[in-house]
Amino acid sequence: MKNFTFQSPTKFVFGRDTHRKAGQLVAALGAKKVMVLYGGGSAIQNGTLPVVLQSLDEAGLDYVSAGGVQPNPVSSFVYSAIEGARDEGVDFMLAVGGGSVIDTAKAVALGVPYPGDFLDFYRGKKVEEALPIGVVLTIPAAGSEGSPNTVITDESTHIKKGAAGECLRPKFAVLNPELTFTLSKYQSACGISDMMAHIFERYFTKTPENVVTDRLCEGLLLAIKDVAMRIIIDSEDYEAQAALMWAGMLAHNNLCGVGRDQDWGSHALAHQISALYDAAHGAALAVIFPAWMKYVYTEDIDMFARIAHNVWGVPESVNKEQMALDGIAVYEDFLRGIGMPTKLSQLDVPEDGIPEMVELAFALGNQTIGSFKRMTPTDVEAVYRLAL
Amino acid sequence: MKNFTFQSPTKFVFGRDTHRKAGQLVAALGAKKVMVLYGGGSAIQNGTLPVVLQSLDEAGLDYVSAGGVQPNPVSSFVYSAIEGARDEGVDFMLAVGGGSVIDTAKAVALGVPYPGDFLDFYRGKKVEEALPIGVVLTIPAAGSEGSPNTVITDESTHIKKGAAGECLRPKFAVLNPELTFTLSKYQSACGISDMMAHIFERYFTKTPENVVTDRLCEGLLLAIKDVAMRIIIDSEDYEAQAALMWAGMLAHNNLCGVGRDQDWGSHALAHQISALYDAAHGAALAVIFPAWMKYVYTEDIDMFARIAHNVWGVPESVNKEQMALDGIAVYEDFLRGIGMPTKLSQLDVPEDGIPEMVELAFALGNQTIGSFKRMTPTDVEAVYRLAL
């Protein structure tokens, strides 16, 4: 285990009706003027946003709201929200939505007190100051409600890039599983794929000996696997949605990543699919991760055999390589079972689009991608081809 | 799952040499005058305390130190430390030790700003204010480094009682596994028993449907089981000690207890053994928990069969009751294997001491103990007798 620092100070307020507490949670933090960000209108239609705004009113808070954040959120929205927030004297960002809304709120929170271009932070500038952020989560997937991370697509280059800093961890996150009942099967399946991917990126490591984290990762994956089909069958299964919502946070607040090198190569590859072909993040991950696993499993066959047994139920055998391959196959079947694509063609990515994605993946001058296997452009092309 | 709020804001600084950072961690919190608490002198002998004090000096901090905290810490020490802290104008408590030292530091932190008797908080008064607390952990066991809890024995009544409040969560906890190398096999085994007990108290619940927490509990128990014997064989096995140290924190910061009723009956029974016979807390739990399990498993045979399979490796069978009993037997064997007692006689508790322990367990006017099974005095006596 490597030395590490872990601090996850976010206050998680979990359960039925908890979104009614948003106003008092913001007020308790001393905020005066709130910017409420939301997405494509479902938060209005399903009644979440009106209840949240009412709770702000009841807490005596002044606010402005800005809707229309799109999946794979883009820089133009952020620029305009930063301007609006400055004009209005906003001192608190409240995200009502999923990962795209939260990541956008984090970008605005970074941009308001910063005199330069907020994208500087997504190009490597150290994150040190941001407006405080609160979350009312409506889509369990990205884990941004408990993470220090944000991902934004720079529209000028089509490059999807991340920034991170401890001040970007939300001060509170309201997690009411009832708010997920109106999600489509496809949205839920994308979320399931995304949160499993967050665990895989941390699980597959060359850092030796991290038995606690290994078992926590496997436990979370088992729990997600156990409830996934229940949610696809009945989106109003409260207990299953509750498990998924909590698992999604734990998958990405870095509890599952402490003390070890993490990979994040598959995320890098999936980001190019989303940036160029506007695929849902979770769907792009469902296409890339099985391909990546098939390409890299020989780096540590025992590790792949172990997850095959402990998570995917593959029987123990002396043939570890077969166990590893069977585990990947069961995972792929699981993804298909919940309605996810597992091939690039299902995302309308043509074979001749691969060179551009490879180029984009290395556009920032990086020599390799990932740490479990340090992939060169040749490796990355091979993974994309395995996903054809 | 029940509604819950979870916030674990402690900054965990984990790894080799991290105790050298204690001074800068305290200074970053704005403290001026530190009281350093420690236990029976091993922190001096093994060199931990001098290094910590040097780091305070280097950070330009003024401090007083107070040693001699005993296992099962008592109120008289707390009273005198509160007086000393007030005289010296102490504004920060730094605990260098295990659960007893940390719990004592929390008691002093509560008492300094409170004009009444600090034990009021252990008799039910709401905890709202305390001096900030930092920890340099030397014994992985109690989990107090990440918890809002403290337990102190009132010497006037021999009653061991707890208090809890979010302000009692340490601001930081330094976890350096190297500091555990000098622990005896017995101390390590007590710690293993204690942290497993913290998970059991949360695992066994009548609250339905909490699959994420179930899997996290099982994962932690598996990890502890996997490294336990390595530590008993070689106390300088860094990776095993690191796993145990991190698991001990996670077992008790309540990650494994959210959204469900918790039991804590076995802790109540074990506390009476420690209070009257001065047994180590982990050893008392090793005696009580198997007995409690044998007495209550019929409350939910499926749950006991599940943990038997998932943690203790008992093969699946249609005879769930046999699986449950086999699981308890494997756990008892495990405890014996690491050198723990599993019978009251091994702690020099005589059969005719049972009535006094039962009386003491109900001395505060409570009608029942525990929630998985609400135990009456008759039940409690039966559990003690099963431990004979």
Side-chain angles (χ1 to χ4, degrees):
Chain A
M1 207 187 303
K2 301 169 77 167
N3 282 15
F4 66 84
T5 297
F6 177 71
Q7 185 171 28
S8 171
T10 306
K11 181 174 194 165
F12 298 103
V13 181
F14 192 101
R16 296 181 197 272
D17 281 329
T18 46
H19 61 308
R20 298 181 193 283
K21 295 182 182 168
Q24 68 194 67
L25 287 162
V26 176
L29 292 164
K32 300 287 176 232
K33 183 70 176 269
V34 183
M35 175 173 268
V36 183
L37 285 190
Y38 60 98
S42 62
I44 303 173
Q45 288 148 33
N46 66 22
T48 302
L49 193 70
V51 170
V52 170
L53 296 181
Q54 189 189 334
S55 81
L56 294 172
D57 280 330
E58 286 167 4
L61 289 162
D62 198 8
Y63 60 83
V64 289
S65 61
V69 176
Q70 298 296 317
N72 300 314
V74 292
S75 46
S76 58
F77 187 99
V78 177
Y79 288 120
S80 105
I82 289 171
E83 203 171 316
R86 284 178 183 155
D87 289 348
E88 297 278 351
V90 163
D91 62 2
F92 193 95
M93 297 299 302
L94 181 61
V96 180
S100 300
V101 176
I102 306 167
D103 283 10
T104 300
K106 289 177 177 178
V108 178
L110 275 170
V112 169
Y114 178 63
D117 181 352
F118 87 93
L119 278 175
D120 290 348
F121 298 105
Y122 294 76
R123 295 180 189 120
K125 187 176 171 62
K126 190 168 164 34
V127 168
E128 290 182 300
E129 186 190 2
L131 295 185
I133 300 149
V135 171
V136 176
L137 187 66
T138 63
I139 307 177
S144 188
E145 66 276 13
S147 85
N149 306 99
T150 162
V151 175
I152 295 287
T153 299
D154 177 354
E155 283 160 302
S156 68
T157 60
H158 284 302
I159 293 178
K160 203 169 174 181
K161 281 295 294 173
E166 290 302 313
C167 64
L168 295 179
R169 289 190 191 260
K171 301 299 175 198
F172 68 81
V174 168
L175 310 181
N176 177 354
E178 293 173 311
L179 304 186
T180 67
F181 288 177
T182 54
L183 293 174
S184 69
K185 291 183 202 305
Y186 189 76
Q187 284 175 305
S188 289
C190 283
I192 289 163
S193 167
D194 193 11
M195 61 183 76
M196 283 188 154
H198 289 160
I199 303 169
F200 293 143
E201 298 284 22
R202 295 172 163 98
Y203 186 85
F204 295 106
T205 182
K206 286 285 173 81
T207 311
E209 282 263 36
N210 205 315
V211 61
V212 173
T213 305
D214 287 343
R215 293 294 95 71
L216 293 180
C217 286
E218 290 164 2
L220 273 181
L221 288 166
L222 277 169
I224 295 167
K225 187 187 76 165
D226 280 358
V227 299
M229 194 51 78
R230 285 170 57 183
I231 288 165
I232 301 303
I233 291 169
D234 175 10
S235 73
E236 300 196 9
D237 181 335
Y238 180 86
E239 295 295 349
Q241 291 281 19
L244 193 70
M245 197 168 223
W246 190 230
M249 189 288 287
L250 293 167
H252 200 43
N253 79 335
N254 212 30
L255 177 72
C256 289
V258 296
R260 50 168 62 193
D261 290 328
Q262 304 181 14
D263 191 76
W264 298 98
S266 298
H267 265 72
L269 271 58
H271 282 343
Q272 314 319 325
I273 301 175
S274 293
L276 292 175
Y277 300 92
D278 204 33
H281 180 54
L285 286 164
V287 168
I288 290 298
F289 243 114
W292 177 84
M293 289 178 178
K294 289 172 199 167
Y295 191 70
V296 306
Y297 77 94
T298 51
E299 294 283 316
D300 192 337
I301 288 175
D302 283 349
M303 185 177 284
F304 273 89
R306 188 182 68 204
I307 195 174
H309 179 68
N310 289 354
V311 174
W312 300 113
V314 173
E316 291 272 20
S317 142
V318 289
N319 189 340
K320 298 287 180 194
E321 182 160 11
Q322 192 58 51
M323 284 179 68
L325 291 169
D326 288 348
I328 298 168
V330 175
Y331 164 49
E332 224 175 337
D333 284 345
F334 167 84
L335 289 169
R336 280 191 285 263
I338 61 171
M340 279 286 95
T342 56
K343 297 292 167 201
L344 283 171
S345 57
Q346 294 170 282
L347 296 176
D348 298 324
V349 180
E351 183 172 357
D352 61 13
I354 290 177
E356 189 183 6
M357 293 195 295
V358 175
E359 192 180 336
L360 202 55
F362 290 91
L364 293 172
N366 46 319
Q367 297 295 307
T368 62
I369 288 176
S371 76
F372 184 68
K373 178 178 177 69
R374 297 189 183 280
M375 295 188 292
T376 63
T378 308
D379 296 318
V380 168
E381 181 174 343
V383 173
Y384 279 129
R385 291 199 174 278
L386 278 172
L388 280 171
Chain B
M1 208 187 302
K2 300 167 78 168
N3 282 16
F4 66 85
T5 297
F6 177 71
Q7 186 171 27
S8 171
T10 306
K11 181 175 194 164
F12 298 102
V13 181
F14 194 101
R16 296 180 197 271
D17 281 328
T18 46
H19 61 308
R20 298 181 193 281
K21 295 183 182 170
Q24 69 193 67
L25 288 163
V26 176
L29 292 163
K32 301 285 175 233
K33 183 71 177 265
V34 183
M35 175 174 268
V36 182
L37 284 190
Y38 60 99
S42 62
I44 303 174
Q45 288 148 32
N46 65 23
T48 302
L49 194 70
V51 170
V52 170
L53 296 181
Q54 188 189 335
S55 81
L56 294 173
D57 280 330
E58 286 167 3
L61 289 161
D62 197 8
Y63 60 83
V64 290
S65 61
V69 176
Q70 298 296 316
N72 300 312
V74 293
S75 45
S76 58
F77 187 100
V78 177
Y79 287 120
S80 106
I82 289 171
E83 204 171 315
R86 284 178 183 154
D87 289 348
E88 297 279 352
V90 163
D91 62 2
F92 194 93
M93 296 299 303
L94 182 61
V96 181
S100 299
V101 176
I102 306 167
D103 283 11
T104 299
K106 289 177 178 179
V108 178
L110 276 170
V112 169
Y114 178 62
D117 181 352
F118 87 92
L119 279 175
D120 291 347
F121 298 106
Y122 294 75
R123 295 180 189 120
K125 186 175 171 63
K126 190 169 165 33
V127 168
E128 291 181 301
E129 187 189 2
L131 296 186
I133 300 149
V135 171
V136 176
L137 188 66
T138 62
I139 308 177
S144 188
E145 66 277 13
S147 85
N149 305 101
T150 161
V151 175
I152 296 287
T153 299
D154 177 355
E155 283 160 303
S156 67
T157 60
H158 284 300
I159 293 179
K160 202 169 174 180
K161 281 293 294 174
E166 290 302 313
C167 64
L168 295 178
R169 288 190 191 261
K171 302 298 175 200
F172 69 81
V174 168
L175 310 181
N176 177 354
E178 294 173 311
L179 304 185
T180 67
F181 288 177
T182 54
L183 293 175
S184 70
K185 291 183 201 305
Y186 190 75
Q187 283 174 305
S188 289
C190 283
I192 290 162
S193 167
D194 193 10
M195 61 182 75
M196 282 188 156
H198 289 160
I199 303 170
F200 293 143
E201 298 283 21
R202 295 173 163 98
Y203 185 85
F204 295 106
T205 181
K206 286 287 175 79
T207 310
E209 283 262 34
N210 205 316
V211 61
V212 173
T213 306
D214 286 344
R215 293 295 94 73
L216 293 180
C217 287
E218 290 164 3
L220 273 180
L221 288 166
L222 277 168
I224 296 167
K225 188 188 75 166
D226 280 358
V227 298
M229 194 52 76
R230 285 170 56 184
I231 288 164
I232 300 303
I233 291 169
D234 176 11
S235 73
E236 300 196 9
D237 181 335
Y238 180 86
E239 294 294 348
Q241 291 282 19
L244 193 70
M245 197 168 224
W246 190 230
M249 189 289 287
L250 292 168
H252 201 42
N253 80 335
N254 211 31
L255 177 72
C256 289
V258 296
R260 49 170 60 192
D261 290 327
Q262 303 180 15
D263 191 74
W264 298 99
S266 297
H267 264 73
L269 271 60
H271 282 342
Q272 314 318 324
I273 300 175
S274 293
L276 292 175
Y277 299 92
D278 204 32
H281 179 54
L285 286 163
V287 169
I288 289 299
F289 243 114
W292 177 84
M293 289 178 177
K294 290 172 198 167
Y295 191 70
V296 306
Y297 77 94
T298 51
E299 295 283 316
D300 192 337
I301 287 175
D302 284 349
M303 185 177 285
F304 274 88
R306 189 181 67 204
I307 195 173
H309 178 68
N310 289 353
V311 175
W312 300 113
V314 174
E316 289 273 19
S317 143
V318 290
N319 189 340
K320 298 286 179 195
E321 183 160 11
Q322 194 57 51
M323 283 178 70
L325 291 169
D326 288 349
I328 298 167
V330 176
Y331 164 49
E332 227 175 334
D333 283 345
F334 167 84
L335 289 169
R336 279 190 286 263
I338 61 172
M340 279 287 95
T342 56
K343 297 292 168 201
L344 283 171
S345 57
Q346 295 169 279
L347 297 174
D348 297 324
V349 180
E351 183 172 358
D352 62 11
I354 290 177
E356 188 185 6
M357 293 196 293
V358 174
E359 193 181 335
L360 201 55
F362 291 91
L364 293 171
N366 47 319
Q367 297 296 305
T368 62
I369 287 175
S371 77
F372 183 69
K373 179 178 175 68
R374 295 187 184 283
M375 295 188 291
T376 63
T378 308
D379 296 317
V380 167
E381 181 173 345
V383 172
Y384 280 129
R385 291 198 175 280
L386 278 171
L388 279 170

